[in-house]
Every structure is written in structure tokens, then in C-alpha cells.
């Protein structure tokens, strides 16, 4: 079986993890800060906060931006459920913005229209979460302009897009957002096993993200709340106690979302090969474009402002030109040893979200896309021969 995605682990990666396993620190040592600093430097952002997974990063990003009951978050229906669930974790509500029929990202036109209606009804989002589907950035400059006009905050769900570029800058620079979220799941561009990260250029936001991932706890070296009601007589004793090396203070209700040093060491090692990983994915995507050009399907379209990281390569079948359903094509490919997948079932059609009042037909572009879509195998160690096998199997089925 040729899988749709696969991690790329080298001897150097194994050595990096082994070094941590032989050290005194398996978590909360220096490997975590090294990974954060290296990723922030790569992306051109001021800060990076590593966490257990991208869902955790989305959750604490919402908390750090004060999303709560009575607030609303908007995202795209063409994403994994975590992009929406993060709002519900905070007691807020969710709505969706339909997708662009070319990029499959959040449609700027649909967002602008929905914001205009929301403003007239006094019901605007506190946060918008554009999702960089398959590794291609959303049109962040235009979304930022709408944020400035309507007053919402922006969390880039860039889980697919580490190594991607927008307007000549790395995704994760946060030039047009409050924070950007990465995923390091094994099928993503680089991996830490499980893992995620939030990047930002706002120092106060970075500080809050940092302690929200660690139970809401800070140490004396960090910012501490001043003791309340301290008498002058007891002030020196209190300060001495506060300065003790054992001292910590919980200043907010946080969570245990830390990334281990084992994961961080793997991430730092993988980051050293991120550019070659992305370059190979781009080669394979271009090769797919050429090899599939004459088949009854649509290849992914790329916006000229973007340079995708190519986490996924998704085709859309021309079902009116073939005699098979999407399910029949999918099953035939699987039977031929091609590990295709489908990304994504529109979030608003999931049973949980139906129970919240969402219905089929609300976001027609996302629903139409889903009916046609198949994700073909794409990973950095994929060989030309493996790709030829995928194309030959698809050609045989469709023609």
C-alpha cells in the first residue's frame, strides 16, 4: 500500500531523540526552548510556544484572546473538526464561512458578505480562524483588512502549511494575524510524533500562551502578581518567600499542554530538513499536474500570492464525465494498493454540529467540493516510480 502520507525519519532524528533519552531532562529542559527559537527564527516571528498538539494550540490561542461564553468564532467547514471545536471548549459558539471554489480555503468574498450581514444584526465574530488547506495560505492580507474594519482577531490554522509562503514570507510570520498554529502529526510536513505550536509577534500574547499550556503557572523569574494586602512589617518576609527557588504561582486556570523534550529534539532535527521536504513535495505536485492533465479531473489550483507547502494533493473528479461514483473510484484505488483518503467531510454536516442546528445546504461550495474530492498520496520520500504507480492506477480506473 502506498499511503497518502508518511513521516520521514533519519538517523540524525533518532540520534537527537536518543541524546535526550540519555540526558537528565525528558521534559521542561532546554530542548523545548531550542525548538521554539529555531521555529520562530525560520518563520520570522517573535515567539513560538510548543504544545502537545495543534488542537491544544488552537484551544489556548482562543483562551489567550479571551474567547468565552457569548462570543462567536468563525472558521471554514473544509477542515478537521478541531478548527471549530476550539471555540466550544471555551464556551463560545461557532459559525462557518464557505470556501473559494478554486483554492478550497475560506472565501474572502463570502467572509466579507457574512461580516456585512453580521454587522447589521450586531452579531460579529470575536475570532476568525482561516485554515490554510493542503498547505496553501489563505488570502491573509485581505482577511486582515476585514479584521481591521470589523474588529475581530485572527488565528491562522496553519496546521498544513509549515514551510509554505505567502507574499514572499514564511507562513507563521504572523504578518497578518494574531497567532498562527502548526501541527507536527506524522503525516504533516515535519513531525514530533504528536505536537503543535503557536507563533505570535505579540509579547503579552506569547506570555499568556506560555503559562496557559502549563496549568496557568508562572515562576519567580517570570511576571508575578503583586501580593495583595501585604503589611509593611511582613513585606520583607513575603518577598523572601516569593524569591525561593521552589516558588510558583497559579495566576490563571490553565492546562497541561506541554511538549516533551523528546518531541522537541525530534522537531528541531526535522526542522533542519524542512526546506528539502517542501521542495520535494513541490516537485511531486508539479509532476502530478503534468501526469494528470488529460484525465477527467481537476488538479489543485494555486493562488499567485502563495507558495504551498503541499501537505495534501487533492483532485476533484469530473463525475459527469466518468461512469463511476467517487466511492467506486476510491475503493478501486484502495484495491490497487493506493492509500487514498478524503479531506474533509464538512464540519457542519457532522452529527454533533447538526445537533447545534447546522444543516446540509448551508455551505454549498464546501459540500460540492467534498462530493468530488480524493486525496492522492504525497510525502517527501515518495519516489517517481511510486507516483507513476498511483497515476497508472487512476488512469486505468477513469478511462
Amino acid at each position: 500500500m502506498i499511503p497518502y502520507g508518511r513521516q520521514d525519519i533519519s538517523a540524525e532524528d533518532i540520534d537527537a531523540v536518543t541524546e535526550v533519552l540519555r540526558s537528565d531532562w525528558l521534559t521542561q529542559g532546554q530542548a523545548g526552548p531550542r525548538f521554539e527559537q529555531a521555529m520562530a527564527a525560520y518563520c520570522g516571528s517573535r515567539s513560538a510556544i510548543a504544545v502537545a498538539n495543534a488542537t491544544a494550540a488552537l484551544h489556548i490561542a482562543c483562551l489567550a484572546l479571551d474567547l468565552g461564553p457569548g462570543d462567536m468564532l468563525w472558521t471554514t467547514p473544509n477542515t478537521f473538526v478541531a478548527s471549530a471545536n476550539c471555540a466550544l471548549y471555551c464556551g463560545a459558539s461557532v459559525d462557518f464561512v464557505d470556501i473559494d471554489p478554486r483554492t478550497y480555503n475560506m472565501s474572502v468574498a463570502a467572509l466579507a458578505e457574512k461580516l456585512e450581514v453580521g454587522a447589521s444584526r450586531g452579531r460579529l465574530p470575536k475570532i476568525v480562524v482561516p485554515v490554510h488547506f493542503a498547505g496553501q495560505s489563505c488570502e491573509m492580507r485581505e482577511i486582515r483588512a476585514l479584521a481591521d474594519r470589523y474588529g475581530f482577531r485572527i488565528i491562522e490554522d496553519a496546521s498544513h502549511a509549515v514551510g509554505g509562503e505567502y507574499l514572499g514570507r514564511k507562513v507563521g510570520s504572523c504578518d497578518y494575524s494574531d497567532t498562527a498554529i502548526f501541527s507536527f502529526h506524522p503525516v504533516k510536513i515535519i513531525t514530533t510524533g504528536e505536537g503543535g505550536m503557536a507563533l505570535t509577534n505579540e509579547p503579552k500574547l506569547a506570555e499568556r500562551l506560555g503559562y496557559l499550556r502549563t496549568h496557568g503557572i508562572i515562576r519567580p523569574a517570570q511576571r508575578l502578581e503583586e501580593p495583595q494586602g501585604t503589611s509593611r512589617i511582613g513585606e520583607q518576609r513575603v518577598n523572601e518567600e516569593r524569591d525561593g527557588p521552589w516558588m510558583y504561582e497559579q495566576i490563571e486556570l490553565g492546562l497541561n499542554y506541554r511538549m516533551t523534550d523528546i518531541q522537541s529534539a525530534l522537531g528541531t532535527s526535522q526542522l533542519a530538513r524542512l526546506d528539502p521536504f517542501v521542495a520535494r513535495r513541490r516537485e511531486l505536485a508539479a509532476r502530478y499536474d503534468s501526469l494528470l492533465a488529460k484525465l477527467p479531473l481537476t488538479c489543485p489550483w494555486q493562488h499567485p500570492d502563495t507558495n504551498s507547502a503541499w501537505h495534501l494533493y487533492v483532485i476533484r473528479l469530473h463525475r459527469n464525465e466518468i461512469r463511476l461514483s467517487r466511492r467506486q473510484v476510491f475503493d478501486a484505488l484502495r484495491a490497487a494498493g493506493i492509500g487514498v483518503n478524503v479531506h474533509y467531510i464538512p464540519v457542519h454536516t457532522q452529527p454533533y454540529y447538526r445537533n447545534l442546528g447546522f444543516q446540509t445546504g448551508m455551505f454549498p461550495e464546501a459540500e460540492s467540493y467534498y462530493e468530488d474530492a480524493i486525496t492522492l498520496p504525497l510525502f517527501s520520500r515518495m519516489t517517481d516510480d511510486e507516483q507513476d504507480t498511483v497515476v497508472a492506477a487512476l488512469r486505468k480506473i477513469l478511462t
Side-chain angles (χ1 to χ4, degrees), residues 29-312:
Q30 290 305 306
R34 280 197 295 269
F35 183 34
E36 292 171 332
Q37 291 159 13
M39 184 61 78
Y42 177 87
C43 294
S45 64
R46 291 187 61 172
S47 300
I49 298 88
V51 291
N53 51 64
T55 302
L58 287 165
H59 186 189
I60 62 171
C62 289
L63 290 173
L65 293 174
D66 294 316
L67 188 73
D71 295 328
M72 181 172 284
L73 177 149
W74 291 0
T75 189
T76 171
N78 183 35
T79 186
F80 187 59
V81 294
S83 307
N85 289 349
C86 57
L88 304 182
Y89 300 153
C90 301
S93 57
V94 177
D95 203 352
F96 300 95
V97 179
D98 213 347
I99 65 171
D100 184 294
R102 299 179 302 173
T103 64
Y104 317 138
N105 282 333
M106 181 182 285
S107 165
V108 171
L111 176 61
E113 182 179 357
K114 195 177 184 84
L115 287 166
E116 186 175 354
V117 172
S120 69
R121 297 176 178 174
R123 190 73 173 121
L124 288 169
K126 186 165 190 175
I127 295 174
V128 170
V129 181
V131 178
H132 301 333
F133 178 71
Q136 178 174 204
S137 175
C138 296
E139 296 169 69
M140 294 307 303
R141 180 173 54 189
E142 289 76 10
I143 294 173
R144 176 79 262 169
L146 290 169
D148 292 341
R149 179 178 177 182
Y150 289 100
F152 58 82
R153 310 296 290 271
I154 299 173
I155 300 173
E156 294 179 73
D157 187 342
S159 295
H160 292 187
V162 60
E165 297 170 358
Y166 175 68
L167 294 174
R169 292 267 288 164
K170 293 293 184 185
V171 171
S173 66
C174 301
D175 291 339
Y176 301 98
S177 66
D178 296 281
T179 181
I181 306 303
F182 286 152
S183 170
F184 306 124
H185 185 276
V187 298
K188 298 301 196 304
I189 314 296
I190 62 172
T191 188
T192 58
E194 280 278 6
M197 187 170 281
L199 298 98
T200 185
N201 292 322
E202 302 176 29
K204 290 185 180 297
L205 182 58
E207 179 187 42
R208 196 172 183 197
L209 288 165
Y211 62 70
L212 282 170
R213 70 169 169 188
T214 312
H215 302 280
I217 285 173
I218 57 175
R219 296 282 178 176
Q222 300 170 285
R223 180 180 63 82
L224 288 174
E225 299 290 341
E226 288 301 316
Q228 299 298 313
T230 302
S231 68
R232 183 175 296 276
I233 295 173
E235 187 172 321
Q236 182 177 355
R237 181 187 62 78
V238 168
N239 287 339
E240 287 174 353
E241 292 293 300
R242 281 165 50 89
D243 291 339
W246 65 86
M247 188 63 182
Y248 63 86
E249 292 186 344
Q250 181 185 345
I251 61 171
E252 194 166 346
L253 184 62
L255 303 113
N256 183 1
Y257 280 168
R258 295 187 298 257
M259 178 182 284
T260 69
D261 277 36
I262 300 167
Q263 295 167 294
S264 296
L266 176 57
T268 303
S269 181
Q270 287 259 303
L271 180 57
R273 292 184 292 144
L274 174 54
D275 286 342
F277 285 171
V278 173
R280 177 56 178 162
R281 287 173 176 270
R282 288 173 179 161
E283 288 175 5
L284 290 164
R287 200 164 182 272
Y288 265 140
D289 288 347
S290 176
L291 294 170
L292 300 174
K294 295 182 180 180
L295 294 180
L297 54 83
T298 298
C299 294
W301 182 82
Q302 297 298 291
H303 193 288
D305 289 342
T306 70
N307 196 5
S308 180
W310 288 105
H311 166 49
L312 302 174

Side-chain angles (χ1 to χ4, degrees), residues 15-26 31 261-262 265:
D15 288 344
V17 171
T18 301
E19 183 178 352
V20 170
L21 291 171
R22 289 173 173 158
S23 75
D24 292 331
W25 294 89
L26 299 187
D261 277 36
I262 300 167

